[in-house]
Amino acid sequence: MMNKDQMQGTAREIIGTFQKNFGEIFGNTVQKENGKMNQIAGQSQKSLGDIKEFIAKS
């Protein structure tokens, strides 16, 4: 089962991917960079959730 950080991180990563692609399609560099930042933040938050889950199972 996914914990809160894993779910929020995954959602943020998906939103970031959408933002980045939107920025690329429409030539909006700010949107593209914001999307990249959200992707990275989402990946980090998901990794934190993975670590928390690992510790809880140990």
Side-chain angles (χ1 to χ4, degrees), residues 41-54:
Q43 290 167 351
S44 298
Q45 187 172 9
K46 184 176 177 290
S47 294
L48 175 65
D50 292 342
I51 292 167
K52 286 181 179 180
E53 185 175 324
F54 177 78

Side-chain angles (χ1 to χ4, degrees), residues 1-14 42-54 56-57:
M1 186 171 156
M2 292 178 76
N3 63 33
K4 179 179 141 186
D5 286 313
Q6 289 169 318
M7 287 188 285
Q8 288 178 343
T10 300
R12 192 168 186 182
E13 188 175 354
I14 291 168
Q43 290 167 351
S44 298
Q45 187 172 9
K46 184 176 177 290
S47 294
L48 175 65
D50 292 342
I51 292 167
K52 286 181 179 180
E53 185 175 324
F54 177 78
K57 287 182 179 180

Side-chain angles (χ1 to χ4, degrees), residues 9-30:
T10 300
R12 192 168 186 182
E13 188 175 354
I14 291 168
I15 290 168
T17 301
F18 176 78
Q19 281 181 312
K20 185 181 89 139
N21 292 339
F22 181 86
E24 287 175 354
I25 291 169
F26 293 102
N28 186 333
T29 55
V30 173

